[in-house]
Structures are given as structure tokens and as C-alpha cells.
Amino acid sequence: MDPRILEIDGVSQLKTGFLYLLISVVVALVGVAAGLLSFFASLSFYPAAGLGSLVGAVAVFVAALVAAVAISLYALFSKIRGGMRILSQVDGGFKICYTGTTLMIVGLLVVVLGLVVGLAAIAAGWASLHMAGPPFGMLSGLITIFIVALIGGVIYFVGEILTFIIGAFKLNGRYNNSLYMVAGILYIIDIALIIAGISGILTLVGHILMYIALRDTLDKLRSPTPS
């Protein structure tokens, strides 16, 4: 395939991926807002229906959260991963970013596996507790969940750095758009803000800048005389 067409396809997939990430945030925010509004509105008009209102609000929130997670996973592991894979065929420097998406998948799988094994151990411990046995199973299950979740989280975190931070700087180096660099810097600052417990806002801004920059890059690549 023509490298230029391949490159356009890769950038296009990245742009779509970041768009879906932004949509997932909007869906989550709408779900939270709708859940809160429905809860407080129902309490105002029907105070006796507090439990039903709470259940309805929680249902709305959970549905929105599940939808947001599904959209973000599709964005990450279909579009962004696919875009990095294609760009790595055009420019070998993007292979590390593609590797980052692989690490993110591995990290999530490790966390899920740890949860399954840990919950199974907790269930076994709970059964032994009812039989007057020592609750070692429950304790080992909790420890397993903590350790495996920590390991999986670290793997995912490293993959996130390679995908988003290194990816932003790689894109800036290839397409010379300062928005990529600004996004990468925001991602780095947001990592530091994790300690303060306010991480996430700058990453969202970074995603917006990445989408704008990718759209601009795509327009230039598609133009008859790319600059």
C-alpha cells in the first residue's frame, strides 16, 4: 500500500480514537448529572419514594458508566492501538507507542485475573468461615487482589505513558504541531497531580488538544500539496 495512504489511515484512526475518548467523558458526565437530577427531583416531589429514587439514580449512573467504559476501551484498543500500529509501519519510532497499547491490555488483563482469583479465594474463605474454620482464604483473597491489582496497574500505567506521552512527542516530531507537545506536557503534569488526588482534568484537556492537532494533521496529509 502507498505509504501516504497508510499514514492517512493511521492518523485518521488516532483522530477517531481521541474523539471517542472525549465522547466517553461526555457520556459519563451526562450520566452523573442525569442520575443526580433524577434523584433530587424525585425527592422534592415524592419524599416517600427515596429508596426508589436512589435505585433509579444509581441505575442511570451505572448504565452511563458502563457505556463510557465500553466506548473508551473501544477507542483505546481498536482505534488508538490500530492507529499506532499503522503509523509504526510508516515510521518505526511509533513502535514503542504501539507497544504501550499492548502493555495497557496486559495490565487490564492482569487486574481482571487478579480480581477473579481473589474473589474466588474470598468466596472460599467465606464458606470456611461458616464452617467455623479460620478465615485465611478471605485474607489471602484480599492480599491477592491488592498485589495483582498493583502489578496490573503499574503495567497499565507504563503503557499509558508510552502511548500518550511518548506518542504525543513522536507526533510532534513528525508533524511539527505544537499542540502535540502541549498535550504531552499536560499528560506529564497530570501524572504529578495524581499525588494531589486531582488528576484527570489536564488529561482531558490533552485529549482535546490531541484531537484538534490530529484533525489538522489529517487535513494537511489529505491536501494536494501537504505542508
Side-chain angles (χ1 to χ4, degrees):
M1 182 182 290
D2 185 350
R4 179 177 171 80
I5 296 177
L6 200 63
E7 187 170 13
I8 290 174
D9 186 27
V11 173
S12 178
Q13 288 205 34
L14 284 179
K15 180 180 77 73
T16 303
F18 278 95
L19 176 61
Y20 283 155
L21 285 180
L22 295 175
I23 291 174
S24 70
V25 173
V26 172
V27 170
L29 292 176
V30 169
V32 171
L36 290 175
L37 285 175
S38 63
F39 175 64
F40 288 116
S42 58
L43 285 183
S44 300
F45 293 102
Y46 305 102
L51 180 59
S53 303
L54 179 60
V55 172
V58 170
V60 171
F61 172 73
V62 170
L65 183 62
V66 170
V69 170
I71 294 172
S72 62
L73 289 177
Y74 175 74
L76 281 172
F77 302 131
S78 177
K79 295 301 180 180
I80 293 179
R81 177 176 168 81
M84 290 301 186
R85 178 183 59 80
I86 293 173
L87 286 182
S88 68
Q89 299 174 28
V90 178
D91 183 341
F94 286 98
K95 287 182 179 179
I96 190 172
C97 306
Y98 178 67
T99 300
T101 63
T102 302
L103 290 177
M104 292 172 73
I105 293 176
V106 172
L108 284 178
L109 290 177
V110 169
V111 170
V112 171
L113 180 61
L115 286 174
V116 172
V117 174
L119 290 175
I122 290 174
W126 180 261
S128 67
L129 186 63
H130 281 282
M131 294 184 294
F136 294 136
M138 296 179 65
L139 181 60
S140 64
L142 291 173
I143 294 175
T144 299
I145 291 176
F146 174 77
I147 294 177
V148 177
L150 181 62
I151 294 173
V154 170
I155 295 173
Y156 184 91
F157 182 67
V158 172
E160 202 170 30
I161 291 175
L162 296 180
T163 301
F164 291 106
I165 297 178
I166 302 300
F169 289 121
K170 290 288 185 183
L171 287 166
N172 177 64
R174 182 169 181 83
Y175 300 114
N176 194 28
N177 188 324
S178 59
L179 290 181
Y180 292 125
M181 181 178 293
V182 175
I185 293 173
L186 290 178
Y187 291 147
I188 294 173
I189 296 174
D190 211 31
I191 290 176
L193 291 178
I194 291 177
I195 302 175
I198 54 176
S199 176
I201 298 175
L202 294 183
T203 292
L204 175 60
V205 176
H207 288 349
I208 294 173
L209 294 180
M210 288 290 286
Y211 173 76
I212 295 172
L214 286 164
R215 186 177 61 183
D216 178 71
T217 297
L218 192 60
D219 290 340
K220 290 179 179 178
L221 288 173
R222 286 173 172 170
S223 64
T225 54
S227 54

